[in-house]
Each structure stands twice: as C-alpha cells, then as structure tokens.
Amino acid sequence: MAEALVIVDVQNDFCEGGALAVEGGAALAAELSEFLEDSHGEYDVIVATQDWHIEPGSHFSDSPDFQRTWPVHCVAGTRGADLHDDLDTERIQARFLKGLFDDGYSGFEGRLGDPDRTGLKEGEKEKAVAPADVIEEGAPDLNTYLQQQGVETVTIVGIATDHCVRATALDAADNDYEVRLLKNLTVGVDEDRIAETYEELREAGVELLRSDEL
C-alpha cells in the first residue's frame, strides 16, 4: 500500500514577512525539513502544493473579508509564490499548482507543474507568467497523479490548517484515500476555526495525529 506525504502551501507569502502571513509558518518550514530528513523513507510519494494565482477573480480584494476574499498573494512567478527557503525541497518529487483562475483552496484542484520552468531570475519575479510556462498540456491533477503511483494513504501537513489544509484533507477523504493529518506539522489562522476544522475532519474520517504518534 503506497503512501503519499502532501505538503500544502508552505510558501513565502504564507510565512512571516509575506503578504498573507500565518504565525509560525517559517518555523513550520524548518520543522518540515527536519521531518523529511528523518522520515522521508516512510513515504513512497512526496509532493507539494502551491497557490499560483494569475487571475483569481474575486479571490483577491482591496477590501478583503479574510473569509472569502483576500489581499493579493502568491502571484504566479513572484517570490511570494515560491516555497519557503527553510523548506528542504530535495525530496519533493512533484509540485501541484492551484488557483490560477479561481480560489484554489484544495491541493486536489492543482495540476502537476514546474515553477522553475519560468526561467525568471530573482530581480525579474514580477513579470507575468502564463499557465503554459509551468504546466504542460495534459498534466495530471493531484488525484490522477496519486492514483498513477498506486497511493492509498495520504498524510497531510502544511499551511493553513483552517483553509487550504482543511480543503485538501476533505478532498482526499472524498476521493477515498485513507487520510492522516499531522497536527504538529500544520499551522492555522484562527484557533476557533482550527477547532471546528478538526471536528469536521474527524467526521469525514480523517485521522488526526502528531508526527511522534506515527
């Protein structure tokens, strides 16, 4: 039974100093690197998801409500959309880019892509990026990719517990994977919503653990 680790949205804009920072995001990136160093051999597949917004419509707002609308963040090709420097990407086998033209909360909405294909250097990272620059025609979505790898169990970590981690875990359960969420390797925005998210995930059959309980 193949198992996948899905690292959700550990990106610069979701960490301290970013456009939509979540407290503890940078520390989480470093903790995930340690986890990967110690535990990568337990996973057959390791993937990451990234917000990769081009024209996400009403997802962006000059007057965000921080529920359905948000400040501009993770714009495709910019530094803010990059995975955080403290996240060791050596063992990440594939990246799934989501939210190009919509909200893109769930990693299962993402398609296999290569952000490095843009060829943009650090000083150029405000140039427009087209989908074809990073996603090949016919690239699989996350569910298709996991099925191709024979994955039956999905372990989820990342940012933010009460938003994209939640949506990704629920979609994993809806797609009939055995799903685990590692609570100590996620960070969220609102404590009340995190508690509600945990209850919702339990009801969906998601197992909530700490990494030392695996």
Side-chain angles (χ1 to χ4, degrees), residues 11 17 19-20 22 25 52 60 62 104-105 122 155 161 201 204:
Q11 296 169 260
L20 196 54
V22 178
W52 193 257
F60 286 171
D62 293 332
Y105 290 111
E122 192 60 42
T155 298
T161 311
L201 294 178

Side-chain angles (χ1 to χ4, degrees), residues 56-195:
S58 61
H59 188 66
F60 286 171
S61 173
D62 293 332
S63 302
D65 63 15
F66 296 92
Q67 299 294 327
R68 295 183 179 275
T69 60
W70 308 92
V72 174
H73 63 277
C74 296
V75 173
T78 66
R79 172 73 175 158
D82 287 345
L83 295 176
H84 194 276
D85 290 341
D86 289 341
L87 177 64
D88 184 357
T89 60
E90 178 183 358
R91 295 183 174 88
I92 294 174
Q93 299 160 348
R95 302 190 203 180
F96 290 83
L97 309 181
K98 59 190 178 67
L100 282 71
F101 301 105
D102 53 22
D103 295 333
Y105 290 111
S106 171
F108 281 82
E109 299 175 45
R111 292 173 60 201
L112 179 64
D114 181 2
D116 297 331
R117 281 181 57 196
T118 63
L120 295 181
K121 298 178 181 178
E122 192 60 42
E124 302 174 319
K125 288 204 166 184
E126 297 300 329
K127 292 185 177 180
V129 175
D133 290 339
V134 293
I135 298 176
E136 295 183 1
E137 185 176 355
D141 61 18
L142 179 56
N143 186 47
T144 300
Y145 179 87
L146 295 178
Q147 289 182 342
Q148 289 171 345
Q149 310 303 315
V151 169
E152 296 182 18
T153 301
V154 174
T155 298
I156 296 174
V157 297
I159 306 173
T161 311
D162 41 339
H163 294 284
C164 293
V165 168
R166 167 189 172 275
T168 302
L170 288 173
D171 274 357
D174 283 345
N175 281 287
D176 295 325
Y177 295 98
E178 180 181 335
V179 187
R180 299 174 181 142
L181 184 142
L182 303 185
K183 295 192 293 182
N184 63 313
L185 293 178
T186 65
V187 291
V189 178
D190 179 88
E191 290 299 326
D192 289 338
R193 289 198 63 179
I194 291 169

